[in-house]
Amino acid sequence: MRRFLIGVVRFYQRYISPLSRPHCRYYPTCSSYMVTALTKHGAFKGTLMGIARILRCNPFVRGGFDPVPDHFSLRRHPHPELFEDEIIAAKFHPDKVQPKE
């Protein structure tokens, strides 16, 4: 089931998404988030997480860096600037990232 759902998302990414302008407010994009959530958490939980992410991606939300958490959650990670990939975190939260010494 997981492979089928990932295939559906990949089909969307390849054939449907290029027909519209880029409008995802988050990094990684909602479709990439869905694929990662399906891979990490399985078909049921991954689908729930992906749908929750798509619902969060609207004009009333600021967006930013929102990776798939290691543990199942339907909420956005509260501290994206604490992730190891400081380059991406610095892009979205430059005032919160500590410089390395």
Side-chain angles (χ1 to χ4, degrees), residues 8-84:
V8 169
V9 175
R10 294 281 187 216
F11 178 84
Y12 166 80
Q13 288 176 327
R14 186 170 188 151
Y15 298 107
I16 298 172
S17 181
L19 299 176
S20 66
R21 64 177 179 79
H23 54 272
C24 189
R25 300 177 143 330
Y26 289 105
Y27 178 85
T29 63
C30 293
S31 57
S32 297
Y33 183 96
M34 175 75 94
V35 170
T36 306
L38 288 166
T39 303
K40 270 188 174 181
H41 300 288
F44 183 71
K45 288 181 180 179
T47 301
L48 288 178
M49 291 176 76
I51 290 171
R53 167 66 176 277
I54 291 168
L55 293 174
R56 286 195 309 265
C57 189
N58 62 66
F60 304 108
V61 178
R62 190 169 131 196
F65 184 56
D66 183 27
V68 177
D70 292 331
H71 303 289
F72 174 75
S73 174
L74 296 178
R75 295 183 172 188
R76 180 178 180 176
H77 193 284
H79 303 289
E81 68 275 1
L82 299 179
F83 282 85
E84 292 178 17

